[in-house]
PDB file of all heavy atoms in Angstrom:
ATOM      1  N   VAL A 113      19.455 131.640 135.790  1.00  0.00           N
ATOM      2  CA  VAL A 113      20.232 131.673 134.612  1.00  0.00           C
ATOM      3  C   VAL A 113      21.789 131.568 135.009  1.00  0.00           C
ATOM      4  O   VAL A 113      22.221 132.286 135.937  1.00  0.00           O
ATOM      5  CB  VAL A 113      19.956 132.967 133.815  1.00  0.00           C
ATOM      6  CG1 VAL A 113      20.479 134.211 134.632  1.00  0.00           C
ATOM      7  CG2 VAL A 113      20.752 132.952 132.444  1.00  0.00           C
ATOM      8  N   HIS A 114      22.500 130.694 134.353  1.00  0.00           N
ATOM      9  CA  HIS A 114      23.934 130.428 134.671  1.00  0.00           C
ATOM     10  C   HIS A 114      24.731 131.394 133.907  1.00  0.00           C
ATOM     11  O   HIS A 114      24.534 131.655 132.715  1.00  0.00           O
ATOM     12  CB  HIS A 114      24.216 128.950 134.367  1.00  0.00           C
ATOM     13  CG  HIS A 114      25.414 128.524 134.932  1.00  0.00           C
ATOM     14  ND1 HIS A 114      26.793 128.887 134.489  1.00  0.00           N
ATOM     15  CD2 HIS A 114      25.756 127.735 136.041  1.00  0.00           C
ATOM     16  CE1 HIS A 114      27.622 128.367 135.293  1.00  0.00           C
ATOM     17  NE2 HIS A 114      27.090 127.672 136.166  1.00  0.00           N
ATOM     18  N   PRO A 115      25.679 132.000 134.570  1.00  0.00           N
ATOM     19  CA  PRO A 115      26.581 132.855 133.864  1.00  0.00           C
ATOM     20  C   PRO A 115      27.237 132.359 132.600  1.00  0.00           C
ATOM     21  O   PRO A 115      27.739 133.101 131.731  1.00  0.00           O
ATOM     22  CB  PRO A 115      27.503 133.371 134.947  1.00  0.00           C
ATOM     23  CG  PRO A 115      27.451 132.485 136.015  1.00  0.00           C
ATOM     24  CD  PRO A 115      26.125 131.840 136.056  1.00  0.00           C
ATOM     25  N   HIS A 116      27.426 131.015 132.641  1.00  0.00           N
ATOM     26  CA  HIS A 116      28.095 130.297 131.471  1.00  0.00           C
ATOM     27  C   HIS A 116      27.111 129.970 130.482  1.00  0.00           C
ATOM     28  O   HIS A 116      27.480 129.218 129.521  1.00  0.00           O
ATOM     29  CB  HIS A 116      28.986 129.196 131.893  1.00  0.00           C
ATOM     30  CG  HIS A 116      30.280 129.690 132.498  1.00  0.00           C
ATOM     31  ND1 HIS A 116      31.140 130.420 131.749  1.00  0.00           N
ATOM     32  CD2 HIS A 116      30.878 129.423 133.724  1.00  0.00           C
ATOM     33  CE1 HIS A 116      32.344 130.681 132.566  1.00  0.00           C
ATOM     34  NE2 HIS A 116      32.127 130.127 133.776  1.00  0.00           N
ATOM     35  N   ALA A 117      25.826 130.138 130.604  1.00  0.00           N
ATOM     36  CA  ALA A 117      24.811 129.701 129.692  1.00  0.00           C
ATOM     37  C   ALA A 117      25.099 130.312 128.234  1.00  0.00           C
ATOM     38  O   ALA A 117      25.480 131.474 128.188  1.00  0.00           O
ATOM     39  CB  ALA A 117      23.394 130.207 130.172  1.00  0.00           C
ATOM     40  N   PRO A 118      25.038 129.435 127.235  1.00  0.00           N
ATOM     41  CA  PRO A 118      25.302 129.979 125.895  1.00  0.00           C
ATOM     42  C   PRO A 118      24.185 131.091 125.596  1.00  0.00           C
ATOM     43  O   PRO A 118      23.095 131.200 126.155  1.00  0.00           O
ATOM     44  CB  PRO A 118      24.931 128.758 124.959  1.00  0.00           C
ATOM     45  CG  PRO A 118      25.028 127.603 125.873  1.00  0.00           C
ATOM     46  CD  PRO A 118      24.668 128.008 127.262  1.00  0.00           C
ATOM     47  N   GLU A 119      24.657 132.019 124.690  1.00  0.00           N
ATOM     48  CA  GLU A 119      23.934 133.159 124.421  1.00  0.00           C
ATOM     49  C   GLU A 119      22.415 132.821 123.938  1.00  0.00           C
ATOM     50  O   GLU A 119      21.445 133.476 124.272  1.00  0.00           O
ATOM     51  CB  GLU A 119      24.515 134.088 123.537  1.00  0.00           C
ATOM     52  CG  GLU A 119      25.726 134.779 124.032  1.00  0.00           C
ATOM     53  CD  GLU A 119      26.427 135.624 122.976  1.00  0.00           C
ATOM     54  OE1 GLU A 119      26.130 135.601 121.844  1.00  0.00           O
ATOM     55  OE2 GLU A 119      27.491 136.354 123.365  1.00  0.00           O
ATOM     56  N   ASP A 120      22.380 131.829 123.122  1.00  0.00           N
ATOM     57  CA  ASP A 120      21.042 131.386 122.533  1.00  0.00           C
ATOM     58  C   ASP A 120      20.082 130.792 123.646  1.00  0.00           C
ATOM     59  O   ASP A 120      18.953 130.755 123.439  1.00  0.00           O
ATOM     60  CB  ASP A 120      21.130 130.526 121.366  1.00  0.00           C
ATOM     61  CG  ASP A 120      21.830 129.188 121.744  1.00  0.00           C
ATOM     62  OD1 ASP A 120      22.391 129.121 122.843  1.00  0.00           O
ATOM     63  OD2 ASP A 120      21.834 128.251 120.963  1.00  0.00           O
ATOM     64  N   LEU A 121      20.660 130.504 124.761  1.00  0.00           N
ATOM     65  CA  LEU A 121      19.830 130.063 125.895  1.00  0.00           C
ATOM     66  C   LEU A 121      19.604 131.126 126.999  1.00  0.00           C
ATOM     67  O   LEU A 121      18.913 130.897 127.976  1.00  0.00           O
ATOM     68  CB  LEU A 121      20.439 128.732 126.553  1.00  0.00           C
ATOM     69  CG  LEU A 121      20.505 127.550 125.678  1.00  0.00           C
ATOM     70  CD1 LEU A 121      21.216 126.405 126.442  1.00  0.00           C
ATOM     71  CD2 LEU A 121      19.211 127.152 125.176  1.00  0.00           C
ATOM     72  N   ALA A 122      20.156 132.284 126.808  1.00  0.00           N
ATOM     73  CA  ALA A 122      20.015 133.348 127.794  1.00  0.00           C
ATOM     74  C   ALA A 122      19.481 134.631 127.021  1.00  0.00           C
ATOM     75  O   ALA A 122      19.755 135.751 127.505  1.00  0.00           O
ATOM     76  CB  ALA A 122      21.383 133.650 128.361  1.00  0.00           C
ATOM     77  N   GLN A 123      18.581 134.416 126.094  1.00  0.00           N
ATOM     78  CA  GLN A 123      18.072 135.530 125.359  1.00  0.00           C
ATOM     79  C   GLN A 123      17.177 136.492 126.107  1.00  0.00           C
ATOM     80  O   GLN A 123      17.297 137.711 125.942  1.00  0.00           O
ATOM     81  CB  GLN A 123      17.329 135.036 124.119  1.00  0.00           C
ATOM     82  CG  GLN A 123      18.170 134.537 122.949  1.00  0.00           C
ATOM     83  CD  GLN A 123      19.098 135.689 122.427  1.00  0.00           C
ATOM     84  OE1 GLN A 123      18.609 136.662 121.751  1.00  0.00           O
ATOM     85  NE2 GLN A 123      20.434 135.644 122.653  1.00  0.00           N
ATOM     86  N   GLY A 124      16.436 135.874 127.128  1.00  0.00           N
ATOM     87  CA  GLY A 124      15.591 136.811 127.901  1.00  0.00           C
ATOM     88  C   GLY A 124      16.506 137.727 128.819  1.00  0.00           C
ATOM     89  O   GLY A 124      16.178 138.913 128.970  1.00  0.00           O
ATOM     90  N   ALA A 125      17.524 137.158 129.471  1.00  0.00           N
ATOM     91  CA  ALA A 125      18.451 137.940 130.306  1.00  0.00           C
ATOM     92  C   ALA A 125      19.121 139.060 129.482  1.00  0.00           C
ATOM     93  O   ALA A 125      19.157 140.219 129.835  1.00  0.00           O
ATOM     94  CB  ALA A 125      19.494 137.041 130.947  1.00  0.00           C
ATOM     95  N   LEU A 126      19.661 138.609 128.221  1.00  0.00           N
ATOM     96  CA  LEU A 126      20.317 139.595 127.384  1.00  0.00           C
ATOM     97  C   LEU A 126      19.410 140.662 126.925  1.00  0.00           C
ATOM     98  O   LEU A 126      19.666 141.868 126.777  1.00  0.00           O
ATOM     99  CB  LEU A 126      21.004 138.919 126.189  1.00  0.00           C
ATOM    100  CG  LEU A 126      22.089 137.975 126.439  1.00  0.00           C
ATOM    101  CD1 LEU A 126      22.546 137.217 125.286  1.00  0.00           C
ATOM    102  CD2 LEU A 126      23.273 138.744 127.115  1.00  0.00           C
TER     103      LEU A 126
END
Side-chain angles (χ1 to χ4, degrees):
V113 65
H114 195 283
H116 280 302
E119 289 179 356
D120 58 350
L121 296 180
Q123 284 296 293
L126 292 173

